[in-house]
Amino acid sequence: MNIKRNIIFALEGRKKNGVTITENVPIRMRVNYDGHRVDFVMCYRIDASKWDATKQRVKNGCTNKLKVSAAEINAELMRSYTLVQDIFKEFELKELMPTAEQLKEMYNVRTKINEIKEEEEHSPKSFWEIYDEFTEENGQLNGWTKATYEKFAAQRNHLQDFNPDLEFDDFTEEGLNNYVFFLGNQLNMRNSTIAKQLGFLKWFLRWSMKKGYHDNASFNSYKPKLKTPEKPIIFLTRKEQEQLREYSIPESKQYLERVRDVFFFCCFTGLRYSDAYNLRRSDIKDDYIEITTIKTTDHLRIELNKHSQALLDKYKDIPFKDDKALPVISNQKMNDYLKELCELAGIDTPVHLTYYRGQQRIDETLPKYELIGTHAGRRTFICNAILLGIPANVIMKWTGHSDYKAMKPYVDVADETKASAMSKFNLI
C-alpha cells in the first residue's frame, strides 16, 4: 500500500487588529493525505523575514528571539518530517489508512519519547541522530532543494526498514551485500536505483568518518557488480512536436492547454522544470531570458525564438503568484497531465526498455506517452538543436552543460535519428 501525502512547512498566518503578524511567528507543519489536512505546531518561532518559503526552512545564519540558531531549528523540522514519514510507513506496511486522530496521537507519543531520549545526558549520538546531523549540515552547505531533502529522508526510511538498530560497524562487505540484496529483493529496486542509493550512503559514511563518528572504511572498497544498461533518452521528434501542437484539446480537458504550453516552452528553451517553475517576469529581457539555475546555480542567458516568445506573450497580461511568467503547476501533476495529453495526441511510438534487478534482465516495451515527463522538454530541445546543426558548444551555453561528456548521449541519439532519416531516401 502506498499512501500519497504532502508535508509542508510554513509560517502560521496570524493577524492582530487586521494586520498580519511578521515577528516571532509559529512554524507549522501541514500534512495532506487522503482528503485529510492535519496541522502540527512546531516548538520554535521565527520572524517572517528570516524564513525561506521556497526551501521551507529558516534562512542560514539566522536566529530567533531566543537566539536559537537556524541549524538547530531546521534540524528539528527535519526530525518532525522524518517522524511523520516513519509513521506513514508503518501504516503502509499494515495496509491501513490512518485517521487524522491516529496520526496526531502517534506523532505526539513519538515526540514525547524523542524528547525523553534527548534529555538523557552523556549518551552518545545514535546512528540516526548522526544521519540527521549529516542531512542538516550538508543541506545547508550545499543549498539542498526540498526534493534533495526528500531523497535522503527516503534513504533513511530504507535503512530503518533494513535494520532499525543499525550501527556503523554493520557496514562490512557482508553487511553492504545484505543491504543491496534488501533493496533489490524486498523493495524491488532496479540496479540503477540501487547504485544511486549506494552513492548516497557512501556520501554519508565518508562524512561521518571524517567527523570521527566511526573508523569502518569497508565502504571505500565496496564496488558490487550491478548491471545497469543506459536508459534511452526520451524526447519528442519534430514530427511529434507538430502532432502535439496541432492536437485539439477537448473542452472538458482545457487544463491540459497550459501544461502543453509550459512543456513546449521547455522544448524551445532547454529549461529544466524547476527553472521554468521559478521563471519570473523580471528574468525576461527584450529578446532573451536571464536566470540562475536552481539545480546547478549556473547563470544562463538564453535567447528567445519565435516559439518561446509567443508563449511568454500569451501569458504576459495574466497575473500569477510571485510574479511568475508561466502557469506552472507541481511537478507531479504536470508529469501526470503530460502523459494524459501525449496519450490523447497519439504520441505512442513503442519504446524498448531493458533493466536489471540483480542478475535478472527485464525487457519491456511501452508506448512513448508513458515515459514522457517534464524533463523530456529539455531533452527535446537538446536533441532537436543537434539535429538542426547547431554546434554543441552553443547548445551547452544555453543548457549549462559543463563538458562534452554530458552531451555525448544526446549526440549519439541524434546520430541514430539522422541515420534513420537518411534511409528514407531508399524509398525514392
Side-chain angles (χ1 to χ4, degrees), residues 80-316:
S80 297
Y81 176 93
T82 303
L83 177 56
V84 171
Q85 292 285 23
D86 290 343
I87 292 171
F88 274 113
K89 193 69 177 178
E90 291 180 27
F91 278 100
E92 285 175 341
L93 291 173
K94 296 175 183 177
E95 296 193 349
L96 295 174
M97 180 67 69
T99 64
E101 291 72 23
Q102 287 174 322
L103 179 62
K104 282 185 177 180
E105 181 179 357
M106 287 190 71
Y107 177 86
N108 291 333
V109 170
R110 300 287 175 84
T111 301
K112 289 179 182 178
I113 292 173
N114 289 341
E115 288 174 351
I116 293 171
K117 288 181 179 179
E118 289 173 4
E119 290 174 358
E120 295 178 356
E121 296 182 358
H122 309 300
S123 59
K125 289 184 178 180
S126 71
F127 178 88
W128 308 113
E129 289 171 329
I130 296 169
Y131 190 94
D132 292 341
E133 181 186 338
F134 160 76
T135 55
E136 180 60 30
E137 180 177 308
N138 283 277
Q140 288 189 5
L141 288 175
N142 298 291
W144 285 1
T145 62
K146 182 184 176 184
T148 305
Y149 276 108
E150 289 177 346
K151 287 178 183 178
F152 279 90
Q155 182 183 241
R156 190 185 195 279
N157 287 334
H158 299 329
L159 289 167
Q160 278 199 312
D161 290 342
F162 170 63
N163 181 359
D165 301 316
L166 264 179
E167 302 285 349
F168 286 106
D169 289 342
D170 293 330
F171 290 104
T172 59
E173 182 175 352
E174 181 182 1
L176 289 164
N177 278 332
N178 291 337
Y179 183 55
V180 168
F181 183 83
F182 168 80
L183 294 176
N185 290 269
Q186 297 297 316
L187 301 187
N188 293 319
M189 287 186 182
R190 300 179 183 185
N191 285 7
S192 55
T193 306
I194 293 173
K196 290 178 182 178
Q197 289 294 316
L198 283 177
F200 293 154
L201 177 59
K202 286 186 176 184
W203 183 1
F204 165 59
L205 294 176
R206 278 194 302 271
W207 174 89
S208 52
M209 190 172 183
K210 287 180 181 178
K211 289 281 187 177
Y213 287 124
H214 71 95
D215 57 3
N216 179 8
S218 299
F219 66 91
N220 277 327
S221 58
Y222 183 70
K223 295 180 181 179
K225 293 182 179 180
L226 295 170
K227 294 182 179 179
T228 52
E230 288 187 8
K231 294 195 300 183
I233 294 177
I234 304 300
F235 72 103
L236 295 188
T237 64
R238 292 167 68 182
K239 181 180 178 181
E240 288 171 330
Q241 277 186 275
E242 192 65 27
Q243 183 177 338
L244 187 59
R245 181 191 291 113
E246 293 179 353
Y247 172 69
S248 180
I249 297 174
E251 282 294 325
S252 61
K253 296 182 179 291
Q254 285 303 299
Y255 57 89
L256 295 177
E257 181 181 353
R258 289 187 166 188
V259 170
R260 177 169 61 185
D261 288 343
V262 172
F263 180 68
F264 272 146
F265 189 77
C266 295
C267 289
F268 288 110
T269 60
L271 287 185
R272 297 181 180 89
Y273 162 83
S274 58
D275 296 319
Y277 182 87
N278 283 279
L279 186 68
R280 303 295 193 269
R281 288 192 164 95
S282 58
D283 299 325
I284 303 169
K285 312 305 177 184
D286 289 338
D287 57 357
Y288 64 92
I289 59 175
E290 197 168 41
I291 63 166
T292 299
T293 61
I294 299 296
K295 182 178 180 180
T296 58
T297 67
D298 291 318
H299 185 75
L300 301 180
R301 171 178 167 144
I302 304 173
E303 284 73 21
L304 295 168
N305 50 52
K306 68 176 184 179
H307 305 287
S308 53
Q309 183 68 66
L311 289 166
L312 290 175
D313 290 343
K314 180 177 180 179
Y315 294 102
K316 68 179 181 180

Side-chain angles (χ1 to χ4, degrees), residues 9-14 22 25-28 45-51:
F9 290 95
L11 300 186
E12 286 195 356
R14 294 187 175 185
T22 60
V25 185
I27 301 172
R28 180 199 67 212
R45 295 169 176 246
I46 195 71
D47 293 347
S49 61
K50 299 176 180 179
W51 178 256

Side-chain angles (χ1 to χ4, degrees), residues 55-68:
K55 294 183 178 179
Q56 301 182 28
R57 294 293 186 274
V58 178
K59 294 178 181 177
N60 292 345
C62 294
T63 59
N64 68 3
K65 298 293 183 184
L66 299 177
K67 303 301 180 185
V68 180

